[in-house]
Each structure stands twice: as C-alpha cells, then as structure tokens.
C-alpha cells in the first residue's frame, strides 16, 4: 500500500487556496469554474463524434458574466501532445479572447483544482480529485462504459450531476454552486492512508533495495505558487448597467441576453481581433505601465484614442490590479482606485475596467464629478465595491494637442 503522493500534496496545499486563487486573478466574490478533460476519445475534449468542449468553452465564456465568474481549463498533457499546442490554442482561441485561461497541465493543474469553486469535467482523475477535495463536479462526459463498474470512480461518475450541453450553461453552473452538496466520499476511494504516501513509498523502496531506511522524515515537494495570470479579455464586452444616485449595478459579458433590462454599452480592448469593433466602442481599454514610453504614457495613449475614434466616449488605461486612469470624450481626466482596507482585505475588488464602465454609466445618467472627487458604489460579483473617482489636472499642452 503506497497511498497517493499527488493527493497528499494537494491536501498539504489546501491552506494556500486563496493564494492560488489570487494567482489566477480570481477576485473577491468571483467563482472559479475549472473545465477539465482526460485524453481519450470519450473524454470531454473528444466526446466521441460530438466535440463538446471546443463549442462549450466559447459559450460558457460568453454566458458567464466577467465579474461574477473566472474560467479556466485543464486539458490532459496527451491532448496537447496529440494535437499540438498550436492546434489546441486555435480551437480554443475564441474562448481565450473572452477570458478563458489554459492551465499548465503538468505543473499547475493541482493548484487550479484547489482554487476552484466548481469543476465541469469528465471521468478522468482530475474530476475525482476535485470531488475528493469537496469541490462540486458537473459531469459532462461519462466515458461511455470505459470504466470498470465496480470501481469507486465509476460509482462517482454514475451519481454526479450531468451537464446538458444544449441547456443554459449559466443556470446549470449556478444550480451546481447553490446545490449545497454534501461532503463527498470520493476521498475514501483515492486512498485509505491520506498524508502517508511519502513514508510508505520510501519504506517500500528501501526494502526492495535491502538497505536501511534513513531516519529523517520522508517529505513531499510542496506545490509551488503559480505565476500571476489574470484574465485578459480582448473580445468585446457588452456591459449592462443600472444607476441610482452613486450606486451602479453592472454586468459585463461577451454576450448580452436579448431584452435584458438596463442600459447597455460596449467596452472593447484595443488589442481586439476585430478592428471594426473599435469604431463602434463606447469604451476602449488597455492595460500597462502608466508611463510606458511606447504609448506616450497613459495621457498620450488616451489622447490618441479619443482623437482616432470619434465614437468612443471614454479611453480607459488600467494601471494596476486596483487602479485605472480614464479620459472622457470632453477631455476630462480621472483616476479611479479601489477604496479598500488593506489590513482586512475588504472594499472594492473588481477589474478596474469595470470601475470605468460604472463611471461611464454614471456620467450617462447625468453624474458629474466634483473637484473633491466622488465615491461610487459598484454592485457586482455578489457584493458592493466602493470606488474612488478623483479628477486629474491636465498638464499644460501646446496648441497642437495633448500627447
């Protein structure tokens, strides 16, 4: 009996769940949904002749609002090897432009599972590990009889809730998250000796070699903290808003339901694949260092945007995880920042581009920023996010225009 080193490493890293979430750019109030597929034709990425996942991911990225959900995918290494990274990325390009992140399938998949609020997967080991860690799982491909029916994994697959690929994905995910799932017994099927694999394996290896076992404790390598990898959405976002004095309700998604209530505007990243989208954008955004000389700094970049795109009502330059600078069509400059208590980690925690969309909606409703600034209350991701809006004094410019 050797235990399970992979599961033991995950158990040891559970205390770092919030760090793993922050590494993926998951903000407070967001739910991280991880999709995963094993590598054979009956897996979610293969699904026989149905090819569910390449079509499912763009739909899910479009249906799940950008500020309420974070989406990531874990594909088995053999999928990457069998098709090639270029082909896999081409198939999933639309979803990635809408905010999907592809997780390193060798080094970082365990951290993604630990960080997840829900997993949409198949009969592979990743789904079973997620269930063993009490993460709710929506089964999208059951393997069509490939599993031995007497195994714990087969029992789990039979009883897990099923995904309807033709139904509303958002409703199914929300139902899964609200389901109040009880503690899974999957952990008992992973190993009967949790946290003991290093000791058991070393003892067995030294017995095979007929050597005395070292006296020092047998320990496993801890899971590393992944690199910071926030979502980068370059697909146009439809932004629905509602304003009541300084309270702004906002929902951003790659697709907006027809007839949905609220005012709507379009926010487009400057690096969109469709240049025509910039011609009709209400907001144009990008991120970077505020003094990037290639862009002329945020002031020069924003002046270029409002000059080159007459339809654009606001240029938004995201300068950090909680800050952005904006220029209105009229030339007014503002700095937006999260009003948060760094000691208690409370306050605003949204994509700063969402702050800018809230300000745009507030302006459209007749709001005006006084010289001392204003504090907006942005409602999104299941909470209220206070955002400080401060006027910025323009630098003196020549008659040729600001650069």
């Amino acid at each position: 009996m050797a235990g399970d080193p992979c599961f033991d490493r995950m158990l040891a890293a559970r205390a770092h769940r919030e760090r793993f979430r922050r590494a993926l750019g998951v903000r407070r109030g967001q739910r991280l949904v991880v999709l995963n597929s094993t590598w054979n034709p009956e897996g979610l990425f293969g699904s026989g002749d149905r090819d569910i996942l390449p079509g499912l991911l763009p739909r899910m990225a479009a249906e799940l609002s950008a500020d309420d959900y974070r989406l990531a995918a874990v594909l088995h290494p053999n999928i990457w090897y069998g098709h090639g990274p270029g082909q896999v990325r081409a198939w999933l390009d639309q979803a990635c432009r809408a905010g999907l992140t592809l997780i390193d399938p060798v080094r970082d998949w365990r951290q993604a599972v630990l960080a997840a609020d829900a997993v949409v997967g198949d009969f592979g080991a990743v789904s079973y590990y997620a269930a063993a860690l009490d993460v709710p799982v929506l089964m999208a491909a059951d393997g069509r009889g490939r599993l031995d029916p007497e195994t714990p994994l087969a029992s789990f697959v039979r009883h897990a809730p099923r995904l309807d690929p033709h139904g509303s994905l958002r409703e199914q995910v929300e139902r899964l998250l609200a389901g109040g799932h009880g503690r899974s017994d999957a952990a008992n099927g992973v190993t009967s000796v949790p946290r003991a694999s290093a000791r058991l394996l070393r003892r067995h290896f030294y017995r095979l070699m007929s050597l005395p076992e070292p006296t020092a404790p047998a320990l496993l390598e801890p899971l590393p903290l992944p690199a910071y990898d926030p979502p980068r959405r370059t697909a146009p976002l439809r932004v629905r808003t509602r304003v009541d004095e300084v309270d702004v309700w906002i929902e951003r998604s790659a697709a907006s339901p027809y007839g949905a209530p609220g005012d709507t505007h379009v926010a487009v990243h400057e690096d969109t694949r469709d240049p025509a989208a910039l011609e009709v954008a209400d907001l144009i955004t990008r991120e970077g260092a505020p003094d990037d000389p290639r862009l002329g700094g945020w002031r020069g970049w924003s002046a270029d945007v409002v000059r080159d795109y007459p339809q654009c009502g606001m240029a938004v330059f995201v300068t950090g995880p909680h800050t952005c600078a904006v220029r209105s069509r009229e030339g007014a400059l503002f700095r937006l920042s999260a009003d948060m208590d760094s000691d208690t980690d409370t306050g605003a925690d949204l994509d700063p581009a969402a702050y800018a969309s809230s300000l745009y909606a507030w302006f459209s409703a007749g709001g005006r920023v006084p010289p001392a600034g204003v504090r907006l209350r942005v409602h999104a991701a299941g909470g209220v996010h206070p955002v400080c809006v401060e006027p910025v004094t323009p630098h003196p410019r020549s008659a040729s225009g600001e650069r």
Side-chain angles (χ1 to χ4, degrees), residues 22 25 27 228 230 287-288 318-324 336-338 340 348-353 355:
R22 287 193 290 267
R27 296 177 180 272
Y228 183 53
E287 64 285 323
V318 176
T319 54
H322 302 287
T323 58
C324 68
L336 281 61
S337 59
M340 61 188 302
D349 190 21
L350 292 177
D351 176 358
Y355 305 160

Side-chain angles (χ1 to χ4, degrees), residues 86-283:
Q87 180 62 74
V88 172
R89 293 186 182 279
W91 278 329
L92 303 182
D93 176 70
Q94 182 181 350
C96 289
R97 287 185 282 118
L100 172 75
T101 291
L102 299 175
I103 303 296
D104 186 303
V106 176
R107 290 183 289 271
D108 296 338
W109 70 267
R110 302 170 187 84
Q111 297 90 319
V113 171
L114 285 166
D117 293 290
V119 166
V120 178
D122 57 18
F123 59 97
V126 173
S127 297
Y128 197 62
Y129 278 129
L133 294 164
D134 293 318
V135 178
V137 176
L138 195 59
M139 190 59 55
D142 61 10
R144 301 184 180 183
R146 286 185 64 94
L147 299 175
D148 182 337
E150 301 301 318
T151 61
L153 177 56
S155 176
F156 161 70
V157 169
R158 282 195 300 271
H159 294 99
R162 288 288 190 274
L163 174 77
D164 175 6
H166 306 294
S168 167
L169 301 178
R170 178 169 180 167
E171 289 180 5
Q172 293 181 74
V173 169
E174 290 181 347
R175 189 160 55 244
L176 179 72
L177 290 167
H181 67 291
R183 184 175 177 83
S184 172
D185 61 357
N188 297 328
V190 173
T191 176
S192 58
V193 282
R195 303 181 187 272
S197 62
R199 172 174 53 83
L200 293 171
L201 282 168
R202 189 177 72 174
R203 179 185 302 166
H204 180 61
F205 295 154
Y206 275 86
R207 185 183 296 121
L208 288 175
M209 294 185 294
S210 299
L211 293 173
E213 185 179 358
T215 58
L219 302 173
L220 295 171
E221 185 80 13
L223 294 180
L225 181 63
Y228 183 53
D229 190 14
R232 188 171 187 268
R233 297 180 178 88
T234 59
L237 290 176
R238 278 71 177 177
V239 187
R240 290 190 293 135
T241 60
R242 181 167 62 87
V243 178
D244 183 5
E245 296 184 347
V246 294
D247 288 272
V248 183
W249 285 260
I250 182 171
E251 181 171 298
R252 304 183 304 154
S253 60
S256 182
Y258 179 77
D263 296 322
T264 303
H265 64 262
V266 178
V268 181
H269 195 284
E270 191 180 34
D271 291 339
T272 180
R273 289 281 183 88
D274 181 8
L278 295 171
E279 302 290 345
V280 297
D282 299 297
L283 277 76

